[in-house]
Amino acid sequence: MSSLIIVQKMDGMNTRRPLFGYAFAALAALGWAAGGLISQELYRSSTIDPATLTGVRTTCAFLILTILLLVFRRKSFVLKRPRRDLTFLIPFGVIAMAGMNFTYLQSIQISGVAPAILMEYMAPIFTLFVAVTLFKQKLRPGILLGVAFAIFGCAIVVGVFNHGALTVSLRGVEWGAASAVAFGLYGIMGDKGPAEIDTFSKLYYGLLFSTLLWNIILGPTRVFAPLANPRTAAFILLMASVATVLPFGAFLVALRHIDATRASVTAILEPVAAGLGAAILFGQQLTHNLIIGGLIVIGAIAFIQISERRDIQHSPRED
């Protein structure tokens, strides 16, 4: 519950504080890394498919968040301008949130965790392209180099340079590209959506419309069927809370302090966190790839932060 209070305080800040943004984007990466590990275990130990896992994960996350908001933050249920806000929140939940969840889990099932992570984290390229072309954001050398080095570090972590380590089918590439676009859309819509909608309202209504979508497509019987197995239900509830409500909310908080490109670059810490988690939980060996690639990703994030501060210091002041 303390994490909800912290996020609530951060959400109330009007001043953009980049360090908070990077911290919450890193927190989101930790949550998503946990989700990757849990989904891999569920695929191994059960017959659950990506669509059903997405549906039950989203539905449980929606129910958990509903209970938390009823207890701690009821005002987030209220939209100040319902008609305008819903024109943003419906596609945010149906396209960005549902799309990001499903395409990533589908990519994991087809290609495995490493290629899926690598392809999803092409998202900063997409967000940077959209920011420059549609929103006329200035393309600064620091952010461009930071994106390149972060993706390079991610590639090392997942072993793309190891001979024969990655073999991805065309179908796997297609789903991986779709997950990158969906992740990019989640960041862009979270960043550029109406500023009057607070973080919890975005998260709640995004999960609401995503939940409605999956229950319409799959039907409630199929969505809730995995919960009949106690062990599977425990993993799903853990995934819904730690790997859905927490990271999706933290990422939205991050977007109040840094833009979508910087937030998605910071989230590239996910494969590093997943590798460390596998070593701690499952006794897997820490590889040179993980150590070297992780240091490059962390260095890229630090480089972006330093270059951002330098740009602010040297930018001309307005009188």
Side-chain angles (χ1 to χ4, degrees), residues 108-122:
I108 287 177
Q109 190 185 55
I110 294 172
S111 305
V113 173
I117 288 177
L118 177 62
M119 287 183 285
E120 184 186 45
Y121 282 105
M122 297 296 109

Side-chain angles (χ1 to χ4, degrees), residues 38-99:
I38 296 169
S39 66
Q40 192 173 20
E41 173 61 23
L42 283 171
Y43 288 147
R44 186 192 65 79
S45 61
S46 70
T47 58
I48 195 167
D49 60 276
T52 303
L53 180 55
T54 304
V56 67
R57 166 194 187 177
T58 304
T59 301
C60 290
F62 167 71
L63 294 174
I64 290 169
L65 183 61
T66 299
I67 294 169
L68 289 175
L69 293 184
L70 282 171
V71 175
F72 294 103
R73 194 182 170 94
R74 295 187 180 184
K75 68 178 183 178
S76 292
F77 294 119
V78 180
L79 298 176
K80 295 179 181 178
R81 298 173 63 181
R83 182 176 297 180
R84 183 211 62 178
D85 294 344
L86 288 174
T87 59
F88 164 76
L89 290 168
I90 292 174
F92 179 66
V94 170
I95 298 173
M97 185 172 284

Side-chain angles (χ1 to χ4, degrees), residues 282-299:
F282 307 126
Q284 294 184 11
Q285 185 178 0
L286 285 176
T287 65
H288 291 92
N289 284 3
L290 178 63
I291 296 170
I292 296 171
L295 289 174
I296 291 174
V297 171
I298 293 169

Side-chain angles (χ1 to χ4, degrees), residues 146-165:
V147 168
F149 275 109
I151 293 174
F152 176 66
C154 178
I156 292 176
V157 170
V158 302
V160 73
F161 301 112
N162 294 356
H163 180 69

Side-chain angles (χ1 to χ4, degrees), residues 16 32 88 91-92 95-97 100 122-137 179-195 202 251-252 254-256 258-265:
R16 287 174 70 90
W32 284 324
F88 164 76
F92 179 66
I95 298 173
M97 185 172 284
M100 179 180 169
M122 297 296 109
I125 299 174
F126 176 74
T127 56
L128 187 60
F129 174 78
V130 171
V132 172
T133 56
L134 295 184
F135 299 108
K136 309 303 179 184
Q137 179 178 309
S179 70
V181 172
F183 185 20
L185 284 176
Y186 183 77
I188 293 166
M189 294 183 74
D191 184 17
K192 302 300 181 182
K202 284 181 184 175
F251 197 78
L252 289 176
L255 293 172
R256 289 192 174 270
I258 55 178
D259 62 38
T261 301
R262 289 171 173 81
S264 57
V265 167

